[in-house]
């Protein structure tokens, strides 16, 4: 299996093809805005905050992968969980799904040698090393989302993970 196919398989497993664990689409299935913003304590993140965080990092790295100039900002990771109150849940999900589709297109269409090049912001890594971490990051947060939904009592076991 080529590296690109491996990456695509891992990204799809996290995005929309449930297998050994629930995909993001299944983890978010049937969730409304009220449940997405609900959180048990101030020190935990809501599902909407988690998706905002994933949207932020995926969009930033996608732009870099596309060769677009991205202002180098000193952003603290905690800030990436903050969303604007006027952005509704459905819009955030649409934006995030669009970014994930763009990632699949970019990886499908890139030349294999691009994976060996260094991202513009990180000369110590290759794109291959950076991209391998995206599905891991997604899987980590999918686990959080499923856990939150179970604790809220709104997890449907038909989506996987009893």
């Amino acid at each position: 299996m080529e590296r690109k196919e491996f990456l695509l398989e891992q990204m799809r497993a996290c995005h929309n093809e449930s297998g050994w664990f629930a995909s993001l689409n299944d983890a978010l299935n049937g969730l409304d805005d009220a449940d997405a913003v609900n959180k048990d304590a101030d020190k935990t993140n809501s599902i909407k905050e988690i998706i905002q965080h994933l949207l932020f990092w995926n969009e930033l790295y996608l732009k870099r992968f596309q060769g677009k100039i991205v202002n180098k900002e000193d952003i603290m990771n905690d800030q990436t969980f903050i969303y604007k109150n006027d952005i509704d849940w459905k819009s955030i999900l649409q934006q995030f799904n669009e970014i994930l589709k763009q990632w699949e297109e970019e990886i499908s269409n890139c030349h294999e040698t691009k994976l060996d090049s260094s991202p513009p912001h990180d000369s110590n890594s290759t794109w291959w090393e950076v991209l391998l971490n995206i599905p891991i990051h997604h899987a980590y947060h999918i686990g959080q989302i499923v856990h939150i939904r179970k604790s809220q009592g709104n997890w449907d076991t038909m989506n996987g993970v009893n």
Side-chain angles (χ1 to χ4, degrees):
M1 176 182 296
E2 288 185 26
R3 292 183 300 172
K4 287 183 1 176
E5 283 304 312
F6 175 80
L7 279 172
L8 288 168
E9 186 177 300
Q10 296 301 302
M11 292 182 107
R12 289 178 187 132
C14 290
H15 181 206
N16 57 14
E17 294 179 6
S18 293
W20 286 41
F21 59 92
S23 67
L24 270 165
N25 281 354
D26 283 343
L28 300 171
N29 185 31
L31 196 66
D32 61 23
D33 193 57
D35 288 330
V37 299
N38 187 18
K39 52 186 186 177
D40 294 334
D42 288 337
K43 296 196 188 286
T44 63
N45 291 306
S46 69
I47 293 172
K48 192 171 182 179
E49 290 169 334
I50 292 169
I51 295 301
Q52 175 59 45
H53 165 78
L54 289 171
L55 174 62
F56 176 88
W57 288 116
N58 277 271
E59 187 173 29
L60 178 78
Y61 277 90
L62 177 63
K63 286 177 182 177
R64 288 177 176 170
F65 192 75
Q66 292 170 329
K68 295 178 181 174
I69 297 171
V70 179
N71 293 335
K72 186 175 180 177
E73 301 175 38
D74 290 326
I75 295 179
M76 302 300 292
N77 193 50
D78 290 350
Q79 295 172 321
T80 66
F81 290 89
I82 300 169
Y83 60 90
K84 296 176 183 170
N85 287 327
D86 61 340
I87 299 177
D88 67 282
W89 175 238
K90 194 173 188 177
S91 295
I92 288 176
L93 286 181
Q94 287 174 339
Q95 288 174 12
F96 188 53
N97 278 312
E98 181 57 34
I99 293 296
L100 294 181
K101 286 178 192 172
Q102 286 180 40
W103 260 124
E104 287 185 30
E105 290 172 16
E106 287 294 325
I107 292 170
S108 292
N109 296 326
C110 81
H111 194 278
E112 186 81 19
T113 57
K114 181 168 186 164
L115 301 177
D116 296 320
S117 66
S118 294
H121 65 286
D122 184 0
S123 61
N124 294 323
S125 299
T126 64
W127 272 114
W128 172 246
E129 294 166 322
V130 170
L131 294 175
L132 284 173
N133 285 297
I134 291 175
I136 294 168
H137 187 222
H138 289 182
Y140 170 77
H141 287 297
I142 291 168
Q144 286 183 314
I145 291 167
V146 170
H147 178 76
I148 291 167
R149 292 197 67 182
K150 283 182 170 186
S151 69
Q152 291 176 348
N154 63 15
W155 177 249
D156 183 351
T157 57
M158 295 301 292
N159 290 327
V161 190
N162 293 329

